[in-house]
Amino acid sequence: MNPHSDQPISFTSLLKSLWQHRNLIITMTKRDVAGRYRGSVLGLFWSFLNPVFMLLVYTFVFSVVFNARWGVSEDETSTQFAVVLFAGLVVHSFFAEVLSKAPGLVLGSTNYVKKVVFPLEILPAIALGSAIFHTAISLLVLQFAYIAFTGIPPWTILLSPIVFFPLAVLSLGVAWMLAALGVYLRDIGQFIGVIITVLLFLSPIFFPIDRLPEEYQVLILLNPLTFIIEQAREVLIWGRLPDWKGLAVYTFFSTIFAWLGYAWFQKTRKGFADVL
């Protein structure tokens, strides 16, 4: 395969590439996850401890320091507020992990670009797989906390993969776009940190949307994480069915964006070897 030749950009080629290289994606995702904790004493157990520590810190800060409440009921406890908050953080952390890795995916894989024939388009899928793993662990921690603070979780938690799916598709498209941009514009990696912080504070994570004046609510609603955070709480915390129509629309536009990101990556990849 000539690295300077044009690559297929159709939606069919996108699906075909992911399917054909599924075993390689799974293998490299496992390597990526294991590599993060390589050399540490506790190893992979850190993937469980990190969200536990994060939940404990937020529970202390909001239950002891701020004595915060979400306002869903009069008998709401501050620990329940921490669980609601943590559900939003899980969604943000999922997107942030993919976003933060994306600009350096190709930059950190120079050998794959220059020396061997490698399906570079699967690099974002590997980053996504790693984020899915860590999110699954965080959701497990969230359910333990729900049991400890509230009781038996609602059956609707089984629908959480459906809620996260459109965000995963969107994340993949963003990763393809940023991975290509990161090769030609190295400042992207620095700028992404600012974007992640902005998304955190412009998401309904620390507060419900209706607490804001109406003129500012539009800023929160424009955030692509807002809808998924709200739907994640519906199935994980409140025990209600998600907005199926909203999820369908979100999935449709996420799929289009993913395809555009893939097409951009494939169109620009022929210059990677010259730049790196």
Side-chain angles (χ1 to χ4, degrees), residues 53-66:
F53 289 152
M54 186 169 65
L55 178 59
L56 290 175
V57 168
Y58 278 104
T59 300
F60 172 77
V61 170
F62 286 94
S63 64
V64 178
V65 179
F66 292 116

PDB file of all heavy atoms in Angstrom, residues 53-66:
ATOM      1  N   PHE A  53     -11.618   6.915  44.340  1.00  0.00           N
ATOM      2  CA  PHE A  53     -11.042   8.091  44.989  1.00  0.00           C
ATOM      3  C   PHE A  53     -11.748   9.371  44.527  1.00  0.00           C
ATOM      4  O   PHE A  53     -12.026  10.267  45.338  1.00  0.00           O
ATOM      5  CB  PHE A  53      -9.543   8.190  44.678  1.00  0.00           C
ATOM      6  CG  PHE A  53      -8.718   7.143  45.367  1.00  0.00           C
ATOM      7  CD1 PHE A  53      -7.526   6.686  44.812  1.00  0.00           C
ATOM      8  CD2 PHE A  53      -9.124   6.593  46.576  1.00  0.00           C
ATOM      9  CE1 PHE A  53      -6.761   5.723  45.436  1.00  0.00           C
ATOM     10  CE2 PHE A  53      -8.370   5.620  47.221  1.00  0.00           C
ATOM     11  CZ  PHE A  53      -7.185   5.182  46.651  1.00  0.00           C
ATOM     12  N   MET A  54     -12.024   9.454  43.242  1.00  0.00           N
ATOM     13  CA  MET A  54     -12.695  10.635  42.715  1.00  0.00           C
ATOM     14  C   MET A  54     -14.081  10.782  43.330  1.00  0.00           C
ATOM     15  O   MET A  54     -14.485  11.883  43.723  1.00  0.00           O
ATOM     16  CB  MET A  54     -12.806  10.533  41.192  1.00  0.00           C
ATOM     17  CG  MET A  54     -13.368  11.789  40.535  1.00  0.00           C
ATOM     18  SD  MET A  54     -13.214  11.800  38.742  1.00  0.00           S
ATOM     19  CE  MET A  54     -14.299  10.432  38.315  1.00  0.00           C
ATOM     20  N   LEU A  55     -14.811   9.682  43.455  1.00  0.00           N
ATOM     21  CA  LEU A  55     -16.143   9.724  44.049  1.00  0.00           C
ATOM     22  C   LEU A  55     -16.067  10.134  45.516  1.00  0.00           C
ATOM     23  O   LEU A  55     -16.879  10.938  45.990  1.00  0.00           O
ATOM     24  CB  LEU A  55     -16.823   8.361  43.923  1.00  0.00           C
ATOM     25  CG  LEU A  55     -18.213   8.239  44.553  1.00  0.00           C
ATOM     26  CD1 LEU A  55     -19.176   9.241  43.938  1.00  0.00           C
ATOM     27  CD2 LEU A  55     -18.741   6.826  44.402  1.00  0.00           C
ATOM     28  N   LEU A  56     -15.084   9.616  46.249  1.00  0.00           N
ATOM     29  CA  LEU A  56     -14.935   9.961  47.659  1.00  0.00           C
ATOM     30  C   LEU A  56     -14.630  11.445  47.833  1.00  0.00           C
ATOM     31  O   LEU A  56     -15.173  12.098  48.733  1.00  0.00           O
ATOM     32  CB  LEU A  56     -13.826   9.114  48.294  1.00  0.00           C
ATOM     33  CG  LEU A  56     -14.133   7.620  48.475  1.00  0.00           C
ATOM     34  CD1 LEU A  56     -12.908   6.887  49.006  1.00  0.00           C
ATOM     35  CD2 LEU A  56     -15.315   7.417  49.405  1.00  0.00           C
ATOM     36  N   VAL A  57     -13.772  11.973  46.983  1.00  0.00           N
ATOM     37  CA  VAL A  57     -13.413  13.387  47.080  1.00  0.00           C
ATOM     38  C   VAL A  57     -14.631  14.271  46.817  1.00  0.00           C
ATOM     39  O   VAL A  57     -14.912  15.213  47.576  1.00  0.00           O
ATOM     40  CB  VAL A  57     -12.278  13.728  46.085  1.00  0.00           C
ATOM     41  CG1 VAL A  57     -12.110  15.244  45.975  1.00  0.00           C
ATOM     42  CG2 VAL A  57     -10.974  13.091  46.528  1.00  0.00           C
ATOM     43  N   TYR A  58     -15.366  13.966  45.750  1.00  0.00           N
ATOM     44  CA  TYR A  58     -16.538  14.779  45.432  1.00  0.00           C
ATOM     45  C   TYR A  58     -17.632  14.628  46.484  1.00  0.00           C
ATOM     46  O   TYR A  58     -18.351  15.590  46.786  1.00  0.00           O
ATOM     47  CB  TYR A  58     -17.082  14.407  44.049  1.00  0.00           C
ATOM     48  CG  TYR A  58     -16.326  15.080  42.925  1.00  0.00           C
ATOM     49  CD1 TYR A  58     -15.412  14.370  42.149  1.00  0.00           C
ATOM     50  CD2 TYR A  58     -16.516  16.425  42.652  1.00  0.00           C
ATOM     51  CE1 TYR A  58     -14.710  14.979  41.123  1.00  0.00           C
ATOM     52  CE2 TYR A  58     -15.818  17.053  41.624  1.00  0.00           C
ATOM     53  CZ  TYR A  58     -14.916  16.322  40.875  1.00  0.00           C
ATOM     54  OH  TYR A  58     -14.217  16.941  39.873  1.00  0.00           O
ATOM     55  N   THR A  59     -17.753  13.440  47.046  1.00  0.00           N
ATOM     56  CA  THR A  59     -18.737  13.241  48.112  1.00  0.00           C
ATOM     57  C   THR A  59     -18.388  14.098  49.320  1.00  0.00           C
ATOM     58  O   THR A  59     -19.256  14.753  49.918  1.00  0.00           O
ATOM     59  CB  THR A  59     -18.795  11.764  48.530  1.00  0.00           C
ATOM     60  OG1 THR A  59     -19.166  10.971  47.405  1.00  0.00           O
ATOM     61  CG2 THR A  59     -19.808  11.554  49.643  1.00  0.00           C
ATOM     62  N   PHE A  60     -17.109  14.127  49.694  1.00  0.00           N
ATOM     63  CA  PHE A  60     -16.673  14.938  50.837  1.00  0.00           C
ATOM     64  C   PHE A  60     -16.874  16.424  50.565  1.00  0.00           C
ATOM     65  O   PHE A  60     -17.430  17.160  51.392  1.00  0.00           O
ATOM     66  CB  PHE A  60     -15.202  14.670  51.147  1.00  0.00           C
ATOM     67  CG  PHE A  60     -14.630  15.606  52.184  1.00  0.00           C
ATOM     68  CD1 PHE A  60     -14.908  15.423  53.535  1.00  0.00           C
ATOM     69  CD2 PHE A  60     -13.828  16.676  51.807  1.00  0.00           C
ATOM     70  CE1 PHE A  60     -14.400  16.295  54.491  1.00  0.00           C
ATOM     71  CE2 PHE A  60     -13.306  17.549  52.749  1.00  0.00           C
ATOM     72  CZ  PHE A  60     -13.603  17.354  54.098  1.00  0.00           C
ATOM     73  N   VAL A  61     -16.447  16.873  49.386  1.00  0.00           N
ATOM     74  CA  VAL A  61     -16.518  18.299  49.065  1.00  0.00           C
ATOM     75  C   VAL A  61     -17.958  18.796  49.063  1.00  0.00           C
ATOM     76  O   VAL A  61     -18.280  19.831  49.658  1.00  0.00           O
ATOM     77  CB  VAL A  61     -15.853  18.582  47.702  1.00  0.00           C
ATOM     78  CG1 VAL A  61     -16.144  20.022  47.252  1.00  0.00           C
ATOM     79  CG2 VAL A  61     -14.347  18.366  47.800  1.00  0.00           C
ATOM     80  N   PHE A  62     -18.844  18.031  48.430  1.00  0.00           N
ATOM     81  CA  PHE A  62     -20.208  18.531  48.272  1.00  0.00           C
ATOM     82  C   PHE A  62     -21.125  18.175  49.434  1.00  0.00           C
ATOM     83  O   PHE A  62     -22.152  18.827  49.634  1.00  0.00           O
ATOM     84  CB  PHE A  62     -20.797  18.026  46.956  1.00  0.00           C
ATOM     85  CG  PHE A  62     -20.233  18.721  45.757  1.00  0.00           C
ATOM     86  CD1 PHE A  62     -19.155  18.175  45.076  1.00  0.00           C
ATOM     87  CD2 PHE A  62     -20.740  19.928  45.333  1.00  0.00           C
ATOM     88  CE1 PHE A  62     -18.606  18.814  43.982  1.00  0.00           C
ATOM     89  CE2 PHE A  62     -20.200  20.583  44.233  1.00  0.00           C
ATOM     90  CZ  PHE A  62     -19.124  20.035  43.555  1.00  0.00           C
ATOM     91  N   SER A  63     -20.768  17.144  50.211  1.00  0.00           N
ATOM     92  CA  SER A  63     -21.612  16.796  51.351  1.00  0.00           C
ATOM     93  C   SER A  63     -21.167  17.488  52.634  1.00  0.00           C
ATOM     94  O   SER A  63     -21.991  17.828  53.481  1.00  0.00           O
ATOM     95  CB  SER A  63     -21.619  15.275  51.562  1.00  0.00           C
ATOM     96  OG  SER A  63     -20.328  14.809  51.906  1.00  0.00           O
ATOM     97  N   VAL A  64     -19.868  17.727  52.775  1.00  0.00           N
ATOM     98  CA  VAL A  64     -19.339  18.328  53.997  1.00  0.00           C
ATOM     99  C   VAL A  64     -19.047  19.820  53.805  1.00  0.00           C
ATOM    100  O   VAL A  64     -19.458  20.657  54.617  1.00  0.00           O
ATOM    101  CB  VAL A  64     -18.060  17.599  54.460  1.00  0.00           C
ATOM    102  CG1 VAL A  64     -17.484  18.271  55.703  1.00  0.00           C
ATOM    103  CG2 VAL A  64     -18.347  16.126  54.723  1.00  0.00           C
ATOM    104  N   VAL A  65     -18.347  20.143  52.730  1.00  0.00           N
ATOM    105  CA  VAL A  65     -17.919  21.529  52.530  1.00  0.00           C
ATOM    106  C   VAL A  65     -19.080  22.408  52.044  1.00  0.00           C
ATOM    107  O   VAL A  65     -19.396  23.437  52.643  1.00  0.00           O
ATOM    108  CB  VAL A  65     -16.746  21.595  51.536  1.00  0.00           C
ATOM    109  CG1 VAL A  65     -16.323  23.060  51.324  1.00  0.00           C
ATOM    110  CG2 VAL A  65     -15.573  20.768  52.041  1.00  0.00           C
ATOM    111  N   PHE A  66     -19.743  21.994  50.970  1.00  0.00           N
ATOM    112  CA  PHE A  66     -20.785  22.829  50.368  1.00  0.00           C
ATOM    113  C   PHE A  66     -22.195  22.459  50.819  1.00  0.00           C
ATOM    114  O   PHE A  66     -23.114  23.257  50.653  1.00  0.00           O
ATOM    115  CB  PHE A  66     -20.720  22.733  48.841  1.00  0.00           C
ATOM    116  CG  PHE A  66     -19.483  23.353  48.250  1.00  0.00           C
ATOM    117  CD1 PHE A  66     -18.553  22.580  47.568  1.00  0.00           C
ATOM    118  CD2 PHE A  66     -19.245  24.711  48.371  1.00  0.00           C
ATOM    119  CE1 PHE A  66     -17.420  23.137  47.022  1.00  0.00           C
ATOM    120  CE2 PHE A  66     -18.118  25.287  47.836  1.00  0.00           C
ATOM    121  CZ  PHE A  66     -17.201  24.500  47.155  1.00  0.00           C
TER     122      PHE A  66
END
